[in-house]
Amino acid sequence: MNHKEFKETIVDYISENLSTKKQQEFKQFLKDNPDSQKEIEEINLLWSGLEENVEPTTAMDIKFYTMLNAQKKSKERVTLIPASENFLAKIFSKKIVYTLAILAIGFFIGNNLNIETDLSEETLQIAQKETEEVRGQLVLTLLEQPSANKRLQAVSEVNKLNSVTETIVKALFSTLNNDANVNVRLSAIEALSNYTYIPLVREGLVASIIHQKSPMVQIALADLMVKLQEKKAVESFKKLIKEEDVNVSAKQKMEESIQRII
Amino acid sequence: MNTLTDEALMLKVKSGETFRLGLLYERYKKKLFGFFFQMNKDADLSEDLVQNVFIRVLKYKHTYTEESKFITWLFKIARNVSYDDFKKNKEYRHQKDIVNVENRISSPDSIEEKMIYKENVSILKIALQKLSYEKREILLLSKYKELKYKEIGEVIGCNEGAARTKVHRALNELKDFFLVLEKR
């Protein structure tokens, strides 16, 4: 340890901030340098001067313990009633706040959704109307297709419609009376059977009986007329039965139907 | 044993066993009183300040964590209490200090009656009062064996190295004051 180092560690030495190893080095240095010994004594004097022999009076203790007791008492009062109240209030207020917040959010969301549904109902109606129109157009277009498949598709499209226009009804009847394909005609009957509440449809169906050549169609119409209990059809069936080129089983079916209608 | 350490006691105080503060008070009342008395040379005031420290300990007990040494935490509070008081009574204290110092120097009785060592001590006390507030404070803190430079740094808000340097400077200044006063 040199002199510079010694100077630097004096404070650490007297404030006992040195490691045991450093402390030994320091003591060795003091032994070797009597001048330093004097310096240390001086500093030690300074250091000990920092100590104060004045002691606090018992008045301080009394004050402290009075304060501590008062604290304890006031704390007991706090802990017994208001603390529990506080605790409950905290829990409840938190819950209530959350509940109210969620309610409010729900209310606003619900409100917004309502407005949206109001709007969408309007737009939905418009959209539905539009699709109905498109579908109607589609039916009419498909019915004119040369492919029987397409015409079948057209008839099945009719089943998806909520209401039929006169044009569609007319188109269906022209299919029923003129279409070359039996299946198309059969499905036309099926489609028209949904609209029998329209007098025009019933009349049209009755009128078409006489034009039918295919026994399948004749049978289907006979079934439908029984279902509808359409008396006007009886005349047409009788006429058909009299004709020679009508299928026997179809004739039988028509006769049965006449019986059942009456 | 563990329940008797300062830290364990303080944690109990924190958890609501306020009465345990009594033991901590007994352990530290003299140190705190000495600290305040050295700072302001007023015994009555120092007693009040010790009381204030423990009121604050109770008030801020929730801020105490087991990571910090109790003495460090306590002296942080003590330092604030002392500084608040110092700010409040700055003007008044300054004048009183000067009068005190002059009285002691010019009082022939004390010099004649006391032995050389005692004389030196009294001069030293005057010298200490001549130091700036901050230097006096750090010297007093460094006197406590429990407070190493690291903890002193924590109390006054600087790092270990800076605390060490500050103690050195303060002690050197004290020495200078002492030598000047001795020659008079």
Side-chain angles (χ1 to χ4, degrees):
Chain A
M1 187 177 277
N2 56 36
H3 194 71
K4 198 180 161 224
E5 227 178 308
F6 164 75
K7 282 255 179 196
E8 276 172 358
T9 41
I10 288 178
V11 180
D12 301 324
Y13 173 70
I14 54 168
S15 62
E16 293 174 32
N17 261 319
L18 282 181
S19 62
T20 18
K21 196 190 154 210
K22 277 262 174 195
Q23 213 170 341
Q24 276 169 356
E25 273 181 53
F26 195 88
K27 278 179 181 162
Q28 190 56 46
F29 184 84
L30 284 182
K31 265 183 202 165
D32 302 342
N33 303 275
D35 290 350
S36 316
Q37 189 72 42
K38 210 186 147 209
E39 203 172 342
I40 276 291
E41 269 164 27
E42 240 176 60
I43 295 280
N44 249 334
L45 173 69
L46 285 175
W47 197 249
S48 60
L50 292 174
E51 219 127 11
E52 195 57 67
N53 293 323
V54 186
E55 295 231 340
T57 61
T58 44
M60 187 171 94
D61 295 347
I62 294 169
K63 249 197 254 171
F64 171 78
Y65 286 106
T66 318
M67 183 271 286
L68 196 61
N69 272 332
Q71 190 79 22
K72 237 194 296 188
K73 271 183 195 150
S74 71
K75 221 198 136 206
E76 269 163 19
R77 247 176 282 137
V78 168
T79 47
L80 282 181
I81 314 152
S84 55
E85 273 177 10
N86 251 353
F87 181 67
L88 287 176
K90 253 186 211 162
I91 288 183
F92 277 116
S93 64
K94 247 186 198 172
K95 275 190 182 170
I96 287 170
V97 166
Y98 281 134
T99 317
L100 287 179
I102 289 168
L103 255 176
I105 291 167
F107 179 76
F108 283 115
I109 290 176
N111 239 8
N112 280 348
L113 281 182
N114 258 348
I115 292 165
E116 274 170 25
T117 48
D118 282 350
L119 275 175
S120 66
E121 252 168 46
E122 265 174 47
T123 48
L124 203 74
Q125 272 178 350
I126 295 168
Q128 265 178 345
K129 216 178 152 194
E130 277 172 8
T131 45
E132 290 277 282
E133 277 169 20
V134 171
R135 211 164 255 163
Q137 289 293 322
L138 181 70
V139 170
L140 296 177
T141 322
L142 288 175
L143 280 177
E144 283 163 18
Q145 295 298 311
S147 153
N149 229 357
K150 293 274 175 191
R151 297 200 300 276
L152 269 176
Q153 198 191 333
V155 178
S156 68
E157 281 295 320
V158 175
N159 291 330
K160 290 179 193 162
L161 290 173
N162 289 326
S163 58
V164 280
T165 59
E166 217 186 310
T167 347
I168 291 172
V169 172
K170 278 181 182 165
L172 281 174
F173 275 120
S174 88
T175 306
L176 175 60
N177 294 332
N178 307 317
D179 202 285
N181 190 296
V182 179
N183 288 326
V184 176
R185 277 179 277 156
L186 281 173
S187 63
I189 292 171
E190 211 179 297
L192 282 166
S193 69
N194 293 326
Y195 305 104
T196 47
Y197 57 88
I198 303 170
L200 191 76
V201 173
R202 291 169 81 110
E203 277 169 30
L205 283 169
V206 173
S208 77
I209 294 171
I210 203 82
H211 302 294
Q212 298 306 327
K213 301 279 185 253
S214 157
M216 295 284 283
V217 179
Q218 286 164 349
I219 290 168
L221 276 172
D223 277 341
L224 183 60
M225 289 305 135
V226 172
K227 216 193 266 172
L228 293 174
Q229 289 293 307
E230 185 56 71
K231 290 186 173 119
K232 284 175 193 164
V234 177
E235 282 301 310
S236 308
F237 284 132
K238 280 181 178 170
K239 266 185 199 169
L240 266 182
I241 293 165
K242 281 173 192 164
E243 277 181 27
E244 282 177 7
D245 55 343
V246 175
N247 183 292
V248 182
S249 43
K251 275 185 183 174
Q252 270 180 355
K253 181 75 191 174
M254 283 189 279
E255 272 168 1
E256 272 174 35
S257 299
I258 290 167
Q259 296 297 320
R260 286 170 68 184
I261 289 171
I262 296 164
Chain B
M1 272 307 281
N2 194 32
T3 53
L4 291 174
T5 65
D6 296 342
E7 287 73 25
L9 280 171
M10 188 55 215
L11 285 177
K12 293 220 161 158
V13 172
K14 187 184 175 184
S15 69
E17 295 177 31
T18 337
F19 63 94
R20 303 227 181 228
L21 190 65
L23 207 54
L24 289 170
Y25 167 78
E26 292 300 336
R27 283 182 191 176
Y28 286 101
K29 65 178 182 184
K30 281 187 186 168
K31 277 198 180 78
L32 285 172
F33 178 80
F35 173 72
F36 288 131
F37 187 75
Q38 293 279 50
M39 293 304 286
N40 59 36
K41 293 288 159 198
D42 183 334
D44 286 343
L45 177 66
S46 297
E47 289 191 359
D48 286 345
L49 294 181
V50 172
Q51 176 86 353
N52 285 350
V53 167
F54 283 99
I55 289 173
R56 284 200 197 184
V57 165
L58 282 180
K59 194 174 168 192
Y60 298 110
K61 60 179 192 286
H62 60 277
T63 65
Y64 177 77
T65 54
E66 45 193 323
E67 283 116 62
S68 51
K69 262 174 99 172
F70 175 71
I71 186 172
T72 317
W73 188 69
L74 185 70
F75 269 95
K76 243 189 230 172
I77 293 174
R79 187 172 175 257
N80 287 333
V81 167
S82 173
Y83 188 67
D84 289 351
D85 172 73
F86 174 74
K87 263 197 310 199
K88 210 167 66 185
N89 302 314
K90 207 172 182 180
E91 290 285 303
Y92 161 77
R93 175 93 17 84
H94 186 61
Q95 286 178 351
K96 200 180 149 206
D97 279 354
I98 291 172
V99 172
N100 263 352
V101 169
E102 281 172 356
N103 273 348
R104 286 182 198 206
I105 291 169
S106 61
S107 142
D109 288 344
S110 65
I111 293 174
E112 279 173 4
E113 282 166 14
K114 282 170 187 166
M115 289 157 64
I116 295 166
Y117 175 77
K118 285 221 170 180
E119 184 190 313
N120 279 341
V121 167
S122 75
I123 290 172
L124 177 66
K125 280 177 183 160
I126 298 160
L128 185 63
Q129 292 309 309
K130 286 203 139 211
L131 279 180
S132 71
Y133 178 88
E134 286 78 14
K135 289 196 168 117
R136 207 168 1 149
E137 183 185 53
I138 200 164
L139 269 186
L140 294 173
L141 289 174
S142 64
K143 270 295 287 178
Y144 299 112
K145 289 191 184 74
E146 296 90 339
L147 289 174
K148 300 294 170 200
Y149 291 132
K150 185 170 165 278
E151 279 100 28
I152 292 171
E154 263 174 57
V155 172
I156 65 168
C158 67
N159 63 35
E160 194 176 342
R164 186 175 178 273
T165 318
K166 281 183 182 180
V167 174
H168 273 253
R169 278 195 199 139
L171 194 68
N172 281 333
E173 200 171 303
L174 180 67
K175 208 168 112 187
D176 292 346
F177 277 130
F178 178 80
L179 292 175
V180 170
L181 285 169
E182 205 183 25
K183 279 175 194 158
R184 274 166 76 170

